[in-house]
Amino acid sequence: RRYLRQSLDFLIDSAVTPPSQKVGVDLRPAAFFAIGQLALAMRDPSGEGIIRTTIQLQRKKENPDEKEYIYDSNDGDIYARLDEIFALVKSELQKSFLTTKQSGGVSADTRSEALHCGADLVQALGEHSRDYVTDLLECMFATGLSRDLILCLRAIASRLPSEKLAIEDRLLEEISVCLAGTSAIKQIC
């Protein structure tokens, strides 16, 4: 919790930044994976969401050579950036949908890790993620049926049982479209 703010800044920047031509390494999949795992690691043991307190290391005013830990109980860094994080995940899933048939699009690794990141966030936040779930699910389904999608939907449904019926209905709709051999073009995200 001591380096949460700096770590989150780095991970979000890495998830946004496409691979450079010089290096050629795409950090986005690892960044999405790490954001999801960070949210799970910060989960409150009581199951009520993510721990809201962070720890800051500061120098003592009376003796600048000594340091002390300050506990900040304001809304934690993850809560303060939830809108940005969910928008980033949805944007990546939307890009993967729009560029599936084009070369140079989002890699399957990035799509998979963005799916899992969204599911990890919902698992970590629980009821606090309810405002984001509907839009997130639409973007997740837009990536197409896959093993990763099914695993993520199962995780979300187990954490938010109230969404289970909506997830099952939407999944049945997707399977029906696949079996019918038609494609429905929808406005996503």
Side-chain angles (χ1 to χ4, degrees):
R1 290 187 286 162
R2 183 172 154 195
Y3 296 104
L4 179 61
R5 181 171 292 132
Q6 296 91 337
S7 300
L8 200 53
D9 287 344
F10 173 75
L11 291 173
I12 289 173
D13 287 344
S14 297
V16 171
T17 308
S20 70
Q21 296 293 339
K22 292 180 182 179
V23 179
V25 176
D26 191 359
L27 294 178
R28 293 176 299 170
F32 279 107
F33 175 78
I35 290 169
Q37 292 299 300
L38 180 63
L40 288 173
M42 293 293 297
R43 185 170 32 186
D44 188 350
S46 69
E48 295 298 317
I50 294 175
I51 297 172
R52 292 183 181 261
T53 58
T54 56
I55 301 171
Q56 300 295 322
L57 183 63
Q58 297 180 347
R59 297 192 184 280
K60 288 186 174 182
K61 292 179 183 175
E62 58 276 354
N63 187 357
D65 292 335
E66 292 183 39
K67 297 177 183 175
E68 66 181 335
Y69 290 107
I70 306 293
Y71 292 89
D72 183 7
S73 61
N74 296 331
D75 249 357
D77 295 310
I78 292 179
Y79 280 100
R81 299 185 76 178
L82 276 182
D83 291 339
E84 180 182 4
I85 294 169
F86 273 103
L88 180 62
V89 171
K90 289 188 301 187
S91 170
E92 197 66 28
L93 294 173
Q94 185 179 29
K95 277 192 264 181
S96 72
F97 171 75
L98 295 173
T99 59
T100 327
K101 295 183 181 178
Q102 299 172 357
S103 60
V106 175
S107 72
D109 289 340
T110 305
R111 178 177 45 247
S112 173
E113 294 305 341
L115 280 168
H116 286 284
C117 180
D120 289 347
L121 287 166
V122 172
Q123 281 189 299
L125 291 165
E127 291 297 321
H128 298 285
S129 66
R130 183 161 308 285
D131 295 340
Y132 305 98
V133 169
T134 303
D135 291 340
L136 179 65
L137 287 174
E138 282 305 311
C139 291
M140 291 174 93
F141 274 107
T143 64
L145 289 176
S146 66
R147 180 174 170 75
D148 287 321
L149 176 65
I150 302 299
L151 291 172
C152 293
L153 293 175
R154 182 182 301 153
I156 291 171
S158 70
R159 186 67 167 118
L160 294 175
S162 61
E163 296 294 322
K164 185 176 181 180
L165 185 59
I167 290 171
E168 288 173 348
D169 288 344
R170 186 69 169 84
L171 190 55
L172 181 60
E173 181 184 320
E174 284 297 313
I175 292 171
S176 298
V177 167
C178 287
L179 291 175
T182 61
S183 64
I185 299 175
K186 297 180 179 182
Q187 181 68 26
I188 63 163
C189 307

